[in-house]
Amino acid sequence: MNFLTVLPLAVVMVAGTQLVVAVFLASSDRPRAASLGFLAGAGLVVAAGVTVSWLLTRLLGGLATDASAAASRIDRGPAIDLVVLALLVSLALLVWLRRNRSGPPRWLGSVSHADPRWAARTGALLFVVTPTDLLTMATVGATVARHDLPWWHLVPFVLLTVLLLAVPLLALVLLGQKAARVLARMREWAEAHSWIVNEIVIAFFALLTVLDLIRSG
């Protein structure tokens, strides 16, 4: 396994409210400044979230190995795989339960006048208070640590998450006046169909985790 395996979960991180907010910011009074602030806040929280999960998994895995060393040396990998699988099942269930939520949050009415500082706080808070994002960050960090991969394997996941959030801004920069129609369609898709893509990605990653468990056994 390498960092490419966890990259699809970046779609789960952004598909939904996060992408909708990014679209609104790209249509605000100060689209470039506000969008960059949003990306900065989101990037910092995602980087911190996966790093904390990676560190905790390595720490707990090391403690478990040390505790069992006197009796017999066991592989901590399957135990971590079971935790990751439980996180994925919880994530899939949460996405399913939230699938019928439609329409932008009420507080998005203030986005049109957002400044970079407000956008940065919003980007950070969205990933802190959204259960699906917390579960996804925990899954990514634990998976990378379970396979004894170094911290830098988390970096591509963080960068791809930020890049996906930057799509509305890139559309604005590249398309100019024509971006409004593209952004509207992007928002409609995120509100209506993102949960389906999320479930497909989660199922794919769960299959990889089950295969790891089978190989470990």
Side-chain angles (χ1 to χ4, degrees), residues 12-170:
V12 181
M13 292 289 292
V14 306
T17 302
Q18 290 76 8
L19 185 58
V20 172
V21 174
V23 169
F24 271 84
L25 288 171
S27 307
S28 64
D29 295 340
R30 303 172 61 184
R32 289 170 176 78
S35 295
L36 289 175
F38 179 74
L39 296 177
L44 286 175
V45 168
V46 174
V50 294
T51 298
V52 168
S53 176
W54 180 81
L55 288 172
L56 287 176
T57 303
R58 287 177 64 90
L59 175 62
L60 295 176
L63 291 175
T65 301
D66 291 342
S68 62
S72 61
R73 192 167 186 82
I74 63 172
D75 182 10
R76 61 185 173 87
I80 297 177
D81 283 336
L82 288 173
V83 173
V84 169
L85 193 58
L87 289 172
L88 288 168
V89 170
S90 301
L91 182 59
L93 179 61
L94 189 59
V95 170
W96 172 260
L97 293 174
R98 295 162 63 94
R99 71 191 185 283
N100 291 325
R101 295 190 179 185
S102 60
R106 295 178 180 178
W107 53 265
L108 277 182
S110 58
V111 167
S112 60
H113 306 295
D115 58 25
R117 183 178 298 179
W118 185 94
R121 289 198 302 267
T122 301
L125 286 173
L126 270 179
F127 287 92
V128 170
V129 303
T130 304
T132 52
D133 288 335
L134 294 176
L135 289 172
T136 304
M137 288 186 284
T139 300
V140 170
T143 301
V144 171
R146 176 261 184 270
H147 291 277
D148 295 318
L149 298 176
W151 175 86
W152 70 263
H153 281 253
L154 297 169
V155 175
F157 172 81
V158 177
L159 293 179
L160 180 58
T161 300
V162 174
L163 179 60
L164 292 175
L165 287 174
V167 169
L169 176 61
L170 294 175

